[in-house]
Amino acid sequence: MMNILSKILDVILPPRCISCGKVLNAKDGVCEECFNNINFISKPHCHKCGMPFENVVSNKEIMCGLCIKDKKPIFRYGRSALRYDDFSKNMILAFKFMDKTENASTLSKWMFAAGKDIFSSGVDLIIPIPLHYTRLLKRKYNQSALLAKKLGKLASIKVDYSSVIRAKKTKPQVEFSGKARLKNVKNAFGVKHQNKIKGKRILLVDDVYTTGSTLKECAKVLLKSGAASVDFITAARTC
Ligand SMILES: [Zn+2]
Ligand SMILES: [Zn+2]
């Protein structure tokens, strides 16, 4: 029955490329032309934070300068699927602000592939970066929660939507740069159910990694609440 229904739906509403809108033969994703325009982050990248390296040829696990210097790293590992360029920006902005929620399924598949090292190291719980409730009311959905839900299904890992809350309403990070971003999100998060966090290897999910301020601030409260480790996966990162 579901098969017939999905076939009828494919005729009425055929799957389209999430980037340019062209009708696809495949179930979901992007058309061939768009696929060739996507800058996936692949090795070599920093083994720790996932930052892609330019002009480096290596099959070894190497770290970036920042991670080498960081004596008290907040994250165990971080990975991002795509470089944040004009191309991925369009896909992500449409997903975030223009109700293109169906983009979550393609983006999460890429994130799942990018997070291979993280999943093989063991993850107990996936947590999306929460939105403040006033912003959630305005936007109607939390894009990170949609990504986390799909990722949880692909990895067969539980997703926790309620243990971390956005306690403080912060201004959008795009209005700030550098240290001001850190200040903007300071004390933005709180942990509601500490017992669900304690001893857990947690994977944080967000759409874009820019300076990492939001993810770091959220990770800090999780570690304070006794999380065993915190990783992150984002759909894209700016560098
Ligand atoms: Zn396309
Ligand atoms: Zn690094």
Side-chain angles (χ1 to χ4, degrees):
M1 185 61 197
M2 278 311 284
N3 267 339
I4 300 169
L5 192 65
S6 89
K7 272 181 190 145
I8 295 171
L9 273 173
D10 278 354
V11 176
I12 312 169
L13 292 165
R16 287 176 184 275
C17 169
I18 65 165
S19 177
C20 72
K22 202 156 85 187
V23 173
L24 293 176
N25 294 323
K27 208 169 154 271
D28 55 20
V30 287
C31 70
E32 208 182 310
E33 208 185 319
C34 289
F35 190 83
N36 292 329
N37 280 322
I38 296 174
N39 274 312
F40 287 101
I41 295 176
S42 56
K43 286 184 180 163
H45 56 62
C46 172
H47 182 62
K48 192 97 182 139
C49 73
M51 187 187 81
F53 292 127
E54 313 290 340
N55 312 317
V56 175
V57 186
S58 172
N59 293 321
K60 290 197 184 114
E61 290 175 359
I62 38 177
M63 289 206 283
C64 72
L66 284 175
C67 287
I68 291 170
K69 266 195 264 166
D70 193 354
K71 296 293 171 230
K72 275 189 183 170
I74 293 173
F75 297 109
R76 186 176 62 162
Y77 297 116
R79 294 289 184 268
S80 307
L82 317 169
R83 284 176 193 255
Y84 194 63
D85 52 17
D86 285 343
F87 200 82
S88 63
K89 191 176 168 185
N90 282 337
M91 249 184 308
I92 289 168
L93 290 183
F95 169 54
K96 199 167 172 174
F97 298 110
M98 291 155 72
D99 293 338
K100 295 271 276 177
T101 51
E102 66 272 22
N103 291 13
S105 88
T106 302
L107 292 172
S108 62
K109 272 182 209 159
W110 295 337
M111 290 162 80
F112 182 57
K116 213 176 130 223
D117 294 335
I118 293 178
F119 293 115
S120 63
S121 305
V123 173
D124 302 309
L125 202 60
I126 296 178
I127 296 182
I129 292 288
L131 286 180
H132 191 260
Y133 77 95
T134 53
R135 190 155 294 151
L136 186 62
L137 279 176
K138 210 164 127 192
R139 213 185 282 168
K140 297 192 279 294
Y141 60 93
N142 174 2
Q143 75 283 357
S144 302
L146 297 182
L147 293 173
K149 188 179 175 189
K150 296 276 181 190
L151 210 49
K153 270 213 180 115
L154 291 169
S156 302
I157 296 167
K158 200 181 157 206
V159 184
D160 182 329
Y161 302 95
S162 60
S163 291
V164 179
I165 52 155
R166 192 114 179 184
K168 199 175 96 180
K169 194 180 173 196
T170 53
K171 289 189 175 154
Q173 287 285 72
V174 287
E175 292 177 19
F176 303 93
S177 61
K179 284 201 171 131
R181 282 184 167 235
L182 266 177
K183 206 176 151 201
N184 183 43
V185 289
K186 191 138 183 62
N187 303 322
F189 301 99
V191 168
K192 228 165 68 174
H193 311 295
Q194 206 160 341
N195 56 323
K196 291 187 184 169
I197 302 300
K198 209 166 180 235
K200 297 277 169 35
R201 294 166 297 179
I202 292 169
L203 168 62
L204 281 176
V205 170
D206 206 359
D207 51 354
V208 183
Y209 180 101
T210 308
T211 58
S213 309
T214 308
L215 282 157
K216 277 177 199 156
E217 188 63 24
C218 192
K220 272 188 209 161
V221 298
L222 290 170
L223 291 170
K224 243 187 221 164
S225 298
S229 63
V230 183
D231 306 308
F232 71 83
I233 300 182
T234 64
R237 71 175 283 156
T238 52
C239 58

